Structures are given as C-alpha cells and as structure tokens.
Amino acid sequence: MSRPEGESIELASHPPTPSATSATAIHEHDDLPEGGYGWVIVACCSAITFFYVGLPYSWGVIQVRLTESGLAKPSSLAFVGSVATCFVAVGALANARILRAIGTRNAAVVASLLYGGGQIMSSWSMTSFAGLLITNGIIAGIGVGIFFLCCGSLPAQYFKRRRGLANGLVIGGGGLGGGVMSVTMNYLLDRVGVAWTFRIIGLTTLAVTLPASLMLKERTRRGTAHIEWSYFRDPKFILLFLGGGIATFPVLVPAFFIPQYATSLGISTSTAAFILAGFNLSSFFGRVGFGALCDYIGPVSSLILALLTSAVSMLAIWPVSKSIGPFILFSIISGAGNGGFFSTVPSAVGHIYGGHRVPIALAMIVTAWSAGYFLGAPIAGWILEKYGGCAAGTQAFRPAMYYAGTMSLGSAGLIFGVRQILTPSILSYA
C-alpha cells in the first residue's frame, strides 16, 4: 500500500483555485528537497510545537490546583484552556493573511512573544477568572493560532515523499512537550506555587521559541489568503471539513480530565501528573507513528485509524477503568490516537490538494474546529457537573466519556467517506 516514489498526487478531482496557477507556487510535480534545510525546519517547528501544544495538553495539572484554590469550577477552567486552543481555528484565515503579509519567520516571532508573554501575564491573574481568560486564553491563544499555521504548513514546502514523517516529527514535539510539561508543572506547583509556575514556563517558552522562530525559512511566497468557496463544491472537502470539526469536540477531553478522574480513583496528584505525562508521551509516539504510517498506507487511511483508536479507548476502555492499571492502559491508547489525529490532518490536506495549497486549504478546514475547541471540553465538564461532579466518583464521568467517544466515532465515519471518494479499494493508498 505504500506510494511509489515517483507517483504524483492527482489534483484534477477538485475545483481549481487561483493559487494553483501562481507562478511562485511550488507545484507537486516539482522536485522538493526531501531533506537538507528541511530537517532544520522540522527540528525548529518541533521545538515550537513542544510548547504551544505541550502546555495546553498539560492544562489539566494546573486546572486541578486552580479548582482546589476556589478560583472557578472545572468546566469554567476547562473553558480557559479551550479558548487558547480555539484560536487555531477561529484565527485560521486571519493567520494565513498574517503569514502572507509578513512571512512565516516574522509571524512566528510575534506568536512567540504573545504566547510566552501570555503565560507570564497569567501569573498576575490568580484571583481573577476574567484575567486568566484574557491572558492565558486570548493573548496566549492568538500565539497558539499563529504557531499552528506556521508549523503545520511549512514542512510541505520541503517534503513530498516524506511529508507524513516530517509532519509527524513536527506535531510529535507537542506530545513530548505535554509529557515533559505535565511532570515539570506538577513539580513547580509543589515548590513555587501557581504564579511562579506560570512565570517560569513563560520565560522558558520565550527562550526556546524565539530562536527557533528566527530559523524558519520559506522556499516560496505563500498563496493569497482568502476563502476558496469553490472547495465547498468538492464532496471530499465537505466531508473533511465536517469530520475534522466533529473530531475536535473530544480531542481535549482526556487531557483536561485525566487528573480529575485520577483523583476520583483515589490517586495522588503527583501520580495523576505522571499518568497525564504518559498520555502525552503516548501522543508523541502516536503523532510520529501515524505520521510515518501516512507514507505507507496513505494519510486519509491513517487519519481514520487514529480516530478509531481514540473512539475505542473512550467507549470501551475508559468506562471500565476502575483501577490504576486499566486507567493507564486507556491513557496510553487514547494518547496515541489523539496525537495521530493532529499529525495526519496536514498530510491528508496536502495529499488531496497539493503542498502549495496547504496553507489556505488547511486554514479553511481548521476553521471548522472552532466549535469543538471552544465547547468540546467545557461540554464534558458540564456533563460531569450534571451527574454530580468529581465528588460523585468515577460513575459521574461515564456520560462525558460516551459523549467524547461517540464524537470520535462519528468523525471516523465521515473521513471514511473521503477515502471512498478517493478510491473504493480498501488496499489502495489513500
């Protein structure tokens, strides 16, 4: 099922776009470096992803401490974490224009200042939910959105045959970051408190992401940032648009609620942090593994498998996790599927629409993620509160688990529709 080395990607099956004819665009039939400075790009983007993905996926650790301090309910604090991630989708088209106007390197520098600065400013919002929402949710969130498009689209300018692996390594940095940050944040919270934890994390973010941003380099001018309405006449785009949107509703649920579920099992906060770290480290292997799998069975097929892995973990394993053993198993399997979703989407977009159209096509598709990022985890929190909250024990979490797992399963069904349009053969590369 692996794609022959010289095989080109068929682009004629979807509506043509103005950017496709741009004289400055890199066409899929042109030779891409498949390495060289491309690996520097991968390393820098991975370092950036370590922070802008790793920190939101460690939010559950600090959410427990803020809940214990009486700042707000779990559903409200989950909303803060969701708002930051929501800017990946809400600002997608605007961010594409920013990248077009000032270039990827400059845009990444701006994102670094916003994201690191937002973490530092959060340290002065420990008694104000509104302040935390503005600093950690909105200011840092704008940085997250810009970072996503910078790191999600740039590898396509350097890789074609190895695009899946390159994207997997880039997105995999977030899984590694989540694992490291979960343990690090718990350590800092125990020793210096919440405020100084935010300050230290913010300064570290700036120290790493600023130099990495300065090393980013585009091979070509990006296409004009605008909505290509003609894509909505393509059934593949519609299914990918809707499937990705539904998939983001459950995507933050495990990361935000694993620490609280662990507490309901009677597990200590330090052990809970290590379990969340296991989820995030598994996400790293899922991001790299599913990313590499794209190059063998196809990115759309890999995306379907990632979504099914997430669905099975939340529908079949999490509900029966009444002790630490099954709960750790759930965290590992769920983390792998969760990470696989993020590493396969950019490759799937590139496979269907071509590397030079990834920025606009990806920006349009992730716009559909807005509702899921914004409401997915808070809905789980509201469901949890409806059934008694953390104090009601592990049974109170079950409806939220079923909600999340069902959304992943539904998304997999829509993406399977994309694959069926590309090729009806189960064994074909797609």
Side-chain angles (χ1 to χ4, degrees):
M1 295 177 66
S2 62
R3 179 177 64 206
E5 183 171 326
E7 182 182 331
S8 62
I9 297 175
E10 180 61 51
L11 299 176
S13 59
H14 59 82
T17 64
S19 60
T21 59
S22 172
T24 57
I26 293 180
H27 294 278
E28 284 299 297
H29 300 290
D30 293 342
D31 290 332
L32 297 182
E34 298 294 346
Y37 197 78
W39 292 120
V40 177
I41 296 297
V42 168
C44 292
C45 289
S46 183
I48 292 170
T49 309
F50 182 98
F51 288 93
Y52 92 80
V53 173
L55 288 176
Y57 268 72
S58 305
W59 178 252
V61 175
I62 207 163
Q63 179 175 299
V64 171
R65 303 301 179 98
L66 292 172
T67 301
E68 292 173 350
S69 72
L71 178 62
K73 295 180 179 179
S75 59
S76 299
L77 292 169
F79 184 71
V80 173
S82 296
V83 166
T85 314
C86 180
F87 276 92
V88 167
V90 171
L93 291 171
N95 292 336
R97 290 181 180 273
I98 291 173
L99 265 63
R100 165 72 175 175
I102 66 176
T104 297
R105 177 187 294 138
N106 293 333
V109 169
V110 171
S112 177
L113 294 173
L114 288 170
Y115 192 56
Q119 300 297 327
I120 295 171
M121 286 186 282
S122 295
S123 66
W124 287 284
S125 303
M126 296 299 93
T127 59
S128 171
F129 174 78
L132 191 64
L133 181 63
I134 293 171
T135 56
N136 205 277
I138 297 175
I139 295 175
I142 295 172
V144 168
I146 297 174
F147 270 150
F148 174 81
L149 206 56
C150 290
C151 298
S153 60
L154 194 54
Q157 294 190 14
Y158 289 84
F159 297 92
K160 177 183 173 184
R161 278 189 304 107
R162 299 176 178 175
R163 183 180 295 155
L165 176 60
N167 282 327
L169 290 171
V170 168
I171 304 300
L176 185 61
V180 173
M181 286 297 172
S182 298
V183 177
T184 302
M185 288 176 69
N186 188 69
Y187 177 87
L188 290 172
L189 287 166
D190 285 339
R191 284 157 180 77
V192 299
V194 178
W196 270 104
T197 296
F198 275 123
R199 291 172 190 141
I200 292 170
I201 294 296
L203 291 171
T204 305
T205 298
L206 291 171
V208 175
T209 61
L210 271 176
S213 297
L214 290 170
M215 295 182 71
L216 300 183
K217 182 172 68 174
E218 295 170 303
R219 293 186 64 240
T220 183
R221 181 172 60 85
R222 293 176 182 268
T224 304
H226 60 276
I227 298 176
E228 294 285 1
W229 294 108
S230 59
Y231 280 153
F232 287 102
R233 297 198 300 268
D234 180 8
K236 299 189 300 297
F237 182 85
I238 293 173
L239 289 172
L240 194 58
F241 184 85
L242 294 175
I246 292 173
T248 53
F249 274 85
V251 81
L252 293 174
V253 173
F256 284 13
F257 291 96
I258 279 176
Q260 289 176 313
Y261 187 83
T263 302
S264 295
L265 287 175
I267 298 172
S268 66
T269 55
S270 59
T271 303
F274 276 104
I275 295 175
L276 181 59
F279 169 87
N280 285 313
L281 288 174
S282 180
S283 175
F284 163 75
F285 290 107
R287 291 165 197 256
V288 176
F290 279 104
L293 190 63
C294 290
D295 298 329
Y296 291 93
I297 69 173
V300 179
S301 301
S302 300
L303 175 56
I304 294 169
L305 289 178
L307 290 169
L308 288 176
T309 300
S310 293
V312 169
S313 71
M314 289 185 281
L315 292 174
I317 303 177
W318 198 0
V320 297
S321 298
K322 298 182 179 180
S323 62
I324 191 170
F327 187 46
I328 290 174
L329 178 64
F330 154 73
S331 299
I332 293 172
I333 295 176
S334 181
N338 192 295
F341 168 74
F342 289 103
S343 65
T344 54
V345 169
S347 295
V349 174
H351 172 64
I352 299 172
Y353 296 104
H356 59 291
R357 280 178 262 188
V358 167
I360 298 304
L362 185 61
M364 290 177 63
I365 284 171
V366 301
T367 299
W369 299 4
S370 303
Y373 273 146
F374 195 63
L375 295 173
I379 286 175
W382 294 327
I383 294 173
L384 174 61
E385 290 175 13
K386 178 70 174 179
Y387 285 84
C390 300
T394 59
Q395 291 293 327
F397 286 83
R398 280 197 172 189
M401 299 172 194
Y402 294 139
Y403 142 75
T406 301
M407 298 295 275
S408 289
L409 190 62
S411 175
L414 290 172
I415 304 302
F416 182 76
V418 176
R419 194 190 191 286
Q420 287 298 102
I421 295 173
L422 291 172
T423 172
S425 174
I426 297 296
L427 298 178
S428 296
Y429 180 95

